Amino acid sequence: MDFDVAALIQAAFSAREYAYTPYSHFKVGAALLCKHGKIYTGCNIESATYSPTNCAERTALFKAVSEGEREFSAIAVVGSLEGQKNTLVTSPCGVCRQMLYEFGGDDLIVILAKSLEDYQITTLGELLPLAFGPQNIAQS
Ligand code: THU
């Protein structure tokens, strides 16, 4: 990796502190690394009406895109129930995979972390094979 994996995971853990989760109590943090090196973080934000809930990954992505970013190299995700250590990795939901694909494509590196030392690395191409994306809509 040509970036600091532990620093990206740490940023995701820090973002998780802000998760607003009065309904699920499942707190998620994400840290999205831009190609030029800046990191945008996000947490999940829930709603009393449930469905408008925004995942941590999309919070980070929307923050970044709304500030002019379009190119990303990696995202780290951490999640666990409030007050508990995670026994399973938290992997982006289907909606987040699709939205990350829009900007990251197959090559986006996805780091699923339980701790700074315990993580697995995959790619969006592995998580969302044969994705439908901007290339399908583009005019020839
Ligand atoms: N959640 C995320 O923020 N990211 C994921 O990758 C999986 C799920 C959130 C949504 C909801 O607030 C809570 O976790 C339980 O589903």
Side-chain angles (χ1 to χ4, degrees):
M1 287 306 131
D2 60 352
F3 60 90
D4 187 342
V5 174
L8 200 62
I9 296 171
Q10 181 55 59
F13 272 115
S14 297
R16 181 181 171 276
E17 294 294 314
Y18 297 118
Y20 175 74
T21 57
Y23 309 106
S24 76
H25 304 285
F26 191 84
K27 294 184 174 293
V28 185
L32 182 64
L33 178 66
C34 298
K35 284 234 162 104
H36 61 71
K38 188 168 175 184
I39 293 172
Y40 287 82
T41 59
C43 62
N44 52 334
I45 305 166
E46 298 186 342
S47 162
T49 56
Y50 288 37
S51 65
T53 292
N54 209 57
C55 291
E57 297 91 325
R58 273 176 292 139
T59 302
L61 181 68
F62 293 160
K63 281 172 64 181
V65 173
S66 68
E67 294 192 21
E69 308 290 352
R70 293 280 172 89
E71 295 191 329
F72 307 103
S73 47
I75 186 167
V77 185
V78 300
S80 62
L81 273 173
E82 200 173 336
Q84 292 188 23
K85 277 203 81 174
N86 37 16
T87 50
L88 300 171
V89 292
T90 295
S91 190
C93 78
V95 172
C96 287
R97 291 177 195 203
Q98 186 67 51
M99 206 62 228
L100 288 167
Y101 185 81
E102 185 73 24
F103 296 95
D106 285 329
D107 296 336
L108 184 77
I109 294 167
V110 182
I111 300 162
L112 310 173
K114 294 185 191 176
S115 70
L116 295 188
E117 301 82 26
D118 185 3
Y119 56 84
Q120 66 188 71
I121 296 186
T122 183
T123 63
L124 199 57
E126 284 180 326
L127 294 178
L128 191 67
L130 286 175
F132 185 94
Q135 71 279 8
N136 295 96
I137 300 273
Q139 303 289 317
S140 56

